[in-house]
Coordinates of all heavy atoms in Angstrom, one line a residue:
T130 N -4.1 12.6 -13.8 CA -4.8 13.0 -15.0 C -6.3 12.9 -14.8 O -6.8 11.9 -14.3 CB -4.4 12.1 -16.2 OG1 -3.0 12.2 -16.3 CG2 -5.1 12.6 -17.4
V131 N -6.9 14.0 -15.1 CA -8.4 14.1 -15.2 C -8.8 14.1 -16.6 O -8.5 15.0 -17.3 CB -9.0 15.3 -14.4 CG1 -10.5 15.3 -14.5 CG2 -8.5 15.3 -13.0
D132 N -9.5 13.1 -17.1 CA -9.9 13.0 -18.5 C -11.4 13.3 -18.5 O -12.2 12.5 -18.1 CB -9.6 11.6 -19.1 CG -9.8 11.6 -20.6 OD1 -10.8 12.1 -21.1 OD2 -9.0 10.9 -21.3
F133 N -11.8 14.4 -19.0 CA -13.2 14.8 -19.1 C -14.0 14.2 -20.1 O -15.2 14.1 -20.1 CB -13.3 16.4 -19.2 CG -12.9 17.1 -17.9 CD1 -11.7 17.7 -17.8 CD2 -13.8 17.1 -16.8 CE1 -11.3 18.3 -16.6 CE2 -13.4 17.7 -15.6 CZ -12.2 18.3 -15.5
R134 N -13.3 13.6 -21.2 CA -14.1 12.9 -22.2 C -14.5 11.5 -21.8 O -15.6 11.1 -22.0 CB -13.2 12.8 -23.5 CG -13.1 14.2 -24.2 CD -12.7 14.1 -25.6 NE -12.7 15.4 -26.1 CZ -12.1 15.7 -27.3 NH1 -11.6 14.8 -28.0 NH2 -12.1 16.9 -27.7
S135 N -13.6 10.8 -21.1 CA -13.9 9.5 -20.7 C -14.4 9.4 -19.2 O -14.7 8.4 -18.7 CB -12.7 8.6 -20.8 OG -11.7 8.9 -20.0
H136 N -14.4 10.6 -18.6 CA -14.8 10.7 -17.2 C -14.0 9.8 -16.2 O -14.6 9.1 -15.5 CB -16.3 10.4 -17.0 CG -17.2 11.3 -17.9 ND1 -17.5 12.6 -17.7 CD2 -17.8 11.0 -19.1 CE1 -18.2 13.1 -18.7 NE2 -18.4 12.1 -19.5
T137 N -12.7 9.9 -16.4 CA -11.8 9.1 -15.5 C -10.8 10.0 -14.9 O -10.4 11.0 -15.3 CB -11.1 8.0 -16.4 OG1 -10.3 8.7 -17.4 CG2 -12.1 7.0 -17.0
P175 N -5.7 26.8 -10.0 CA -6.6 25.8 -10.6 C -7.5 25.2 -9.4 O -6.9 24.7 -8.5 CB -5.7 24.7 -11.2 CG -4.4 24.9 -10.5 CD -4.3 26.3 -10.0
F177 N -10.7 22.8 -8.8 CA -11.8 21.9 -9.2 C -13.0 22.0 -8.3 O -14.0 21.4 -8.5 CB -11.3 20.5 -9.2 CG -10.6 20.1 -10.5 CD1 -9.8 21.0 -11.1 CD2 -10.8 18.9 -11.1 CE1 -9.1 20.6 -12.3 CE2 -10.2 18.5 -12.3 CZ -9.4 19.4 -12.9
S182 N -14.9 30.4 -12.9 CA -13.6 31.1 -12.9 C -13.8 32.6 -12.4 O -14.8 33.2 -12.8 CB -12.9 31.0 -14.2 OG -12.8 29.7 -14.6
N223 N -15.4 34.9 -23.1 CA -14.3 34.5 -24.0 C -13.0 35.1 -23.6 O -12.4 35.8 -24.4 CB -14.7 34.7 -25.4 CG -16.0 34.0 -25.8 OD1 -16.1 32.9 -25.5 ND2 -16.9 34.7 -26.5
F224 N -12.6 34.9 -22.4 CA -11.4 35.5 -21.9 C -10.1 34.7 -22.2 O -10.0 33.5 -21.9 CB -11.5 35.6 -20.3 CG -10.7 36.7 -19.8 CD1 -11.1 38.0 -19.9 CD2 -9.5 36.4 -19.1 CE1 -10.3 39.0 -19.3 CE2 -8.7 37.4 -18.6 CZ -9.1 38.7 -18.7
P225 N -9.1 35.3 -22.9 CA -7.9 34.6 -23.3 C -7.0 34.3 -22.1 O -6.8 35.2 -21.3 CB -7.3 35.5 -24.3 CG -7.7 36.9 -23.9 CD -9.1 36.7 -23.3
L226 N -6.3 33.2 -22.1 CA -5.3 32.9 -21.1 C -4.3 31.9 -21.7 O -4.5 31.3 -22.7 CB -5.9 32.3 -19.8 CG -6.7 31.1 -19.9 CD1 -6.0 29.9 -19.4 CD2 -8.0 31.3 -19.1
T227 N -3.2 31.8 -21.0 CA -2.1 30.9 -21.5 C -1.8 29.9 -20.4 O -1.6 30.3 -19.2 CB -0.9 31.7 -21.8 OG1 -1.2 32.6 -22.9 CG2 0.3 30.8 -22.3
I228 N -1.8 28.6 -20.7 CA -1.3 27.6 -19.8 C -0.3 26.7 -20.5 O -0.6 26.2 -21.6 CB -2.5 26.7 -19.3 CG1 -3.5 27.5 -18.5 CG2 -1.9 25.5 -18.5 CD1 -4.7 26.7 -18.1
K231 N 0.1 27.3 -24.2 CA -1.0 27.1 -25.0 C -2.0 28.2 -24.8 O -2.4 28.5 -23.7 CB -1.7 25.8 -24.7 CG -0.9 24.6 -25.0 CD -1.7 23.3 -24.7 CE -0.8 22.1 -25.0 NZ -0.8 21.1 -24.0
R232 N -2.5 28.8 -25.9 CA -3.5 29.9 -25.8 C -4.8 29.2 -25.7 O -5.2 28.4 -26.6 CB -3.4 30.8 -27.1 CG -2.1 31.5 -27.3 CD -2.0 32.7 -26.4 NE -3.0 33.7 -26.7 CZ -3.4 34.7 -26.0 NH1 -2.7 34.9 -24.8 NH2 -4.3 35.5 -26.3
L233 N -5.6 29.5 -24.7 CA -6.9 28.9 -24.4 C -7.8 30.1 -24.1 O -7.5 31.2 -24.0 CB -6.8 28.0 -23.2 CG -5.8 26.8 -23.4 CD1 -5.5 26.2 -22.1 CD2 -6.3 25.8 -24.4
T234 N -9.1 29.7 -24.0 CA -10.1 30.7 -23.7 C -11.0 30.2 -22.5 O -11.5 29.1 -22.6 CB -11.0 31.0 -24.9 OG1 -10.2 31.4 -25.9 CG2 -12.0 32.0 -24.6
A235 N -11.2 31.0 -21.5 CA -12.2 30.7 -20.5 C -13.6 31.3 -21.0 O -13.6 32.4 -21.4 CB -11.8 31.4 -19.2
P236 N -14.6 30.5 -20.9 CA -15.9 31.0 -21.5 C -16.4 32.2 -20.8 O -16.9 33.1 -21.4 CB -16.8 29.8 -21.3 CG -16.2 28.9 -20.2 CD -14.7 29.2 -20.3
Q237 N -16.3 32.3 -19.5 CA -16.7 33.4 -18.7 C -15.8 33.5 -17.5 O -15.4 32.5 -16.9 CB -18.1 33.3 -18.2 CG -19.2 33.5 -19.2 CD -20.6 33.6 -18.5 OE1 -20.8 33.0 -17.5 NE2 -21.5 34.3 -19.2
L250 N -9.2 29.4 -11.7 CA -9.8 28.7 -12.8 C -10.7 27.6 -12.3 O -10.3 26.8 -11.5 CB -8.8 28.1 -13.8 CG -8.1 29.0 -14.8 CD1 -7.1 28.2 -15.5 CD2 -9.1 29.6 -15.7
G251 N -12.0 27.7 -12.6 CA -12.9 26.7 -12.0 C -13.4 25.6 -13.1 O -12.8 25.6 -14.2
L252 N -14.3 24.9 -12.7 CA -14.8 23.8 -13.5 C -15.4 24.2 -14.8 O -15.4 23.5 -15.8 CB -15.8 22.9 -12.7 CG -15.2 21.9 -11.8 CD1 -16.3 21.2 -11.0 CD2 -14.4 20.9 -12.5
D253 N -15.9 25.5 -14.9 CA -16.5 26.0 -16.1 C -15.4 26.0 -17.2 O -15.7 25.8 -18.4 CB -17.1 27.4 -15.9 CG -16.1 28.4 -15.5 OD1 -15.1 28.0 -14.8 OD2 -16.3 29.6 -15.7
F254 N -14.1 26.2 -16.8 CA -13.0 26.2 -17.8 C -12.5 24.7 -18.0 O -12.4 24.3 -19.1 CB -11.8 27.0 -17.2 CG -10.6 26.8 -18.0 CD1 -10.5 27.4 -19.3 CD2 -9.6 26.0 -17.6 CE1 -9.3 27.3 -20.0 CE2 -8.4 25.8 -18.3 CZ -8.3 26.5 -19.5
F255 N -12.3 24.0 -16.9 CA -11.7 22.7 -17.0 C -12.6 21.7 -17.8 O -12.1 20.8 -18.5 CB -11.3 22.1 -15.7 CG -10.1 22.8 -15.1 CD1 -10.2 23.6 -13.9 CD2 -8.9 22.8 -15.7 CE1 -9.1 24.2 -13.4 CE2 -7.8 23.4 -15.2 CZ -7.9 24.2 -14.0
T256 N -13.9 21.7 -17.5 CA -14.8 20.7 -18.2 C -14.9 21.0 -19.7 O -15.4 20.1 -20.4 CB -16.2 20.8 -17.6 OG1 -16.7 22.1 -17.7 CG2 -16.1 20.3 -16.1
R257 N -14.4 22.1 -20.2 CA -14.4 22.3 -21.7 C -13.1 21.8 -22.3 O -12.9 21.8 -23.5 CB -14.5 23.8 -22.0 CG -15.9 24.3 -21.7 CD -16.0 25.8 -22.0 NE -17.1 26.6 -21.8 CZ -18.4 26.2 -21.5 NH1 -18.7 25.0 -21.4 NH2 -19.3 27.1 -21.4
Q258 N -12.2 21.2 -21.5 CA -10.9 20.7 -22.0 C -11.1 19.1 -22.1 O -11.9 18.5 -21.4 CB -9.8 21.0 -21.0 CG -9.7 22.5 -20.6 CD -9.7 23.4 -21.8 OE1 -9.0 23.2 -22.8 NE2 -10.5 24.5 -21.7
S259 N -10.3 18.5 -22.9 CA -10.3 17.1 -23.0 C -9.6 16.4 -21.8 O -10.2 15.5 -21.3 CB -9.5 16.6 -24.3 OG -10.1 17.1 -25.4
R260 N -8.5 16.9 -21.4 CA -7.7 16.3 -20.4 C -6.9 17.4 -19.6 O -6.4 18.3 -20.2 CB -6.8 15.3 -21.0 CG -6.0 14.5 -20.0 CD -5.1 13.4 -20.7 NE -6.0 12.5 -21.3 CZ -5.7 11.8 -22.4 NH1 -4.6 11.9 -23.0 NH2 -6.6 10.9 -22.9
V261 N -6.8 17.2 -18.3 CA -6.0 18.0 -17.5 C -5.0 17.2 -16.7 O -5.5 16.2 -16.1 CB -6.9 18.9 -16.5 CG1 -6.0 19.7 -15.6 CG2 -7.9 19.7 -17.3
V262 N -3.7 17.5 -16.7 CA -2.8 16.7 -16.0 C -2.1 17.6 -14.9 O -1.6 18.7 -15.2 CB -1.7 16.2 -16.9 CG1 -0.6 15.4 -16.1 CG2 -2.3 15.3 -18.0
F263 N -2.3 17.2 -13.6 CA -1.6 17.9 -12.5 C -0.3 17.1 -12.2 O -0.4 15.9 -11.8 CB -2.5 17.9 -11.3 CG -3.6 18.9 -11.4 CD1 -4.9 18.4 -11.7 CD2 -3.4 20.2 -11.1 CE1 -5.9 19.3 -11.8 CE2 -4.5 21.1 -11.2 CZ -5.7 20.6 -11.5
L270 N 0.9 22.2 -14.5 CA -0.4 21.9 -15.0 C -0.4 21.8 -16.5 O 0.1 22.8 -17.2 CB -1.5 22.9 -14.6 CG -2.9 22.7 -15.0 CD1 -3.5 21.6 -14.2 CD2 -3.7 24.0 -14.8
T271 N -0.9 20.8 -17.1 CA -0.9 20.6 -18.6 C -2.4 20.4 -19.0 O -3.1 19.7 -18.3 CB -0.1 19.4 -19.1 OG1 1.2 19.6 -18.6 CG2 -0.1 19.3 -20.6
V272 N -2.8 21.1 -20.0 CA -4.2 21.1 -20.5 C -4.2 20.6 -21.9 O -3.4 21.2 -22.7 CB -4.9 22.4 -20.3 CG1 -6.3 22.4 -20.9 CG2 -5.0 22.8 -18.9
E273 N -5.0 19.7 -22.3 CA -5.2 19.3 -23.7 C -6.6 19.7 -24.1 O -7.6 19.1 -23.6 CB -5.1 17.8 -23.8 CG -3.7 17.3 -23.5 CD -3.5 15.8 -23.6 OE1 -4.4 15.1 -24.2 OE2 -2.6 15.3 -22.9
P274 N -6.7 20.7 -24.9 CA -8.1 21.2 -25.3 C -8.9 20.1 -26.1 O -8.4 19.2 -26.7 CB -7.8 22.4 -26.2 CG -6.3 22.6 -26.1 CD -5.7 21.4 -25.5

Side-chain angles (χ1 to χ4, degrees):
T130 302
V131 180
D132 191 318
F133 288 101
R134 289 199 178 167
S135 66
H136 305 285
T137 59
F177 275 40
S182 302
N223 301 316
F224 203 78
L226 58 105
T227 300
I228 296 177
K231 291 183 183 131
R232 297 281 299 163
L233 302 163
T234 302
Q237 284 190 331
L250 279 177
L252 279 177
D253 60 335
F254 171 78
F255 288 115
T256 56
R257 291 181 178 351
Q258 312 307 315
S259 298
R260 183 176 297 150
V261 178
V262 179
F263 288 98
L270 179 74
T271 305
V272 175
E273 296 177 20

